[in-house]
Amino acid sequence: MKLIAGLGNPGIEYAFTRHNMGWLCADFLAVNNNLGRPRQNFHGEYWKWNDVIILKPLTFMNSSGLAVSEAVNFYKIELDDVLIVYDDMALPFGKLRLRAQGSAGGHNGLISVLGALGDVHVPRLRIGIGKAPGSMINYVLGHFDEHEREQLPDIVKRAEEAVNAWLDKDIQKAMTIVNADPSE
């Protein structure tokens, strides 16, 4: 069993905000694979897809670890088989970066997940939202501008490809594929 957790915030006011990039990817995976309506459990919504759980924590970003740890513990999932998908201001808008482990880099959602799991050895797919031009909070909780909205279909499609690489290959091979610069 594997777990893909897309991080975000519940509520209509957060729909299509930069901080909900993980949720957008989870939703895209569910829709693109005809998974229907999600089930409710683990303080979130989830879909079961073969031997994969796609989870959207409903705990708000800063408490995402509660939902992720409940699903991990219930299904007895090894941490190498967990993929956290979330937004990252350290990357340019739309840039993807797959990592096998590491620090949270100041991302409160990932801080919560790593703290709840008690380990930094958790794979993650970071999706760039670019640097905040002003207030960080206003930026991440702000809605995508027109140019960003135009790019979203391509970004979530590439994120799906990254998830599939993680599902189908070992982490090192998946990282080589996902993190490659397409201009090279």
Side-chain angles (χ1 to χ4, degrees):
M1 185 69 63
K2 292 193 176 206
L3 173 70
I4 300 162
L7 304 188
N9 285 311
I12 193 72
E13 66 271 27
Y14 299 111
F16 292 101
T17 61
R18 293 176 188 91
H19 218 23
N20 273 28
M21 192 64 90
W23 269 31
L24 290 173
C25 292
D27 286 336
F28 184 81
L29 283 167
V31 168
N32 208 34
N33 290 286
N34 300 310
L35 300 182
R37 296 178 56 86
R39 300 176 192 176
Q40 302 283 315
N41 201 353
F42 316 118
H43 287 88
E45 297 180 338
Y46 75 99
W47 296 265
K48 195 154 187 224
W49 175 36
N50 301 320
D51 63 344
V52 178
I53 300 296
I54 301 170
L55 174 69
K56 286 175 42 179
L58 295 175
T59 55
F60 286 95
M61 181 68 77
N62 295 356
S63 299
S64 297
L66 174 63
V68 172
S69 65
E70 283 184 359
V72 165
N73 291 332
F74 181 83
Y75 286 106
K76 298 177 179 28
I77 301 172
E78 297 293 324
L79 296 186
D80 288 345
D81 291 328
V82 175
L83 181 66
I84 309 300
V85 182
Y86 64 99
D87 62 287
D88 194 326
M89 287 193 329
L91 295 173
F93 188 81
K95 178 83 172 171
L96 303 180
R97 183 70 64 216
L98 181 64
R99 294 188 63 200
Q101 63 184 7
S103 75
H107 191 284
N108 288 333
L110 192 58
I111 289 170
S112 174
V113 170
L114 298 179
L117 296 176
D119 203 322
V120 298
H121 297 89
V122 180
R124 72 280 316 261
L125 177 62
R126 300 162 45 211
I127 303 172
I129 61 169
K131 291 193 184 295
S135 162
M136 179 186 71
I137 292 173
N138 289 342
Y139 182 71
V140 298
L141 296 179
H143 294 279
F144 297 107
D145 65 30
E146 183 179 344
H147 180 68
E148 292 168 336
R149 280 191 309 272
E150 291 171 358
Q151 295 178 62
L152 282 178
D154 176 61
I155 293 168
V156 295
K157 181 64 179 157
R158 289 187 296 112
E160 178 188 42
E161 292 166 359
V163 166
N164 286 332
W166 176 78
L167 288 170
D168 296 338
K169 302 180 182 335
D170 71 58
I171 188 70
Q172 294 303 320
K173 287 180 183 171
M175 286 170 45
T176 299
I177 293 166
V178 174
N179 298 341
D181 186 346
S183 64
E184 294 179 347

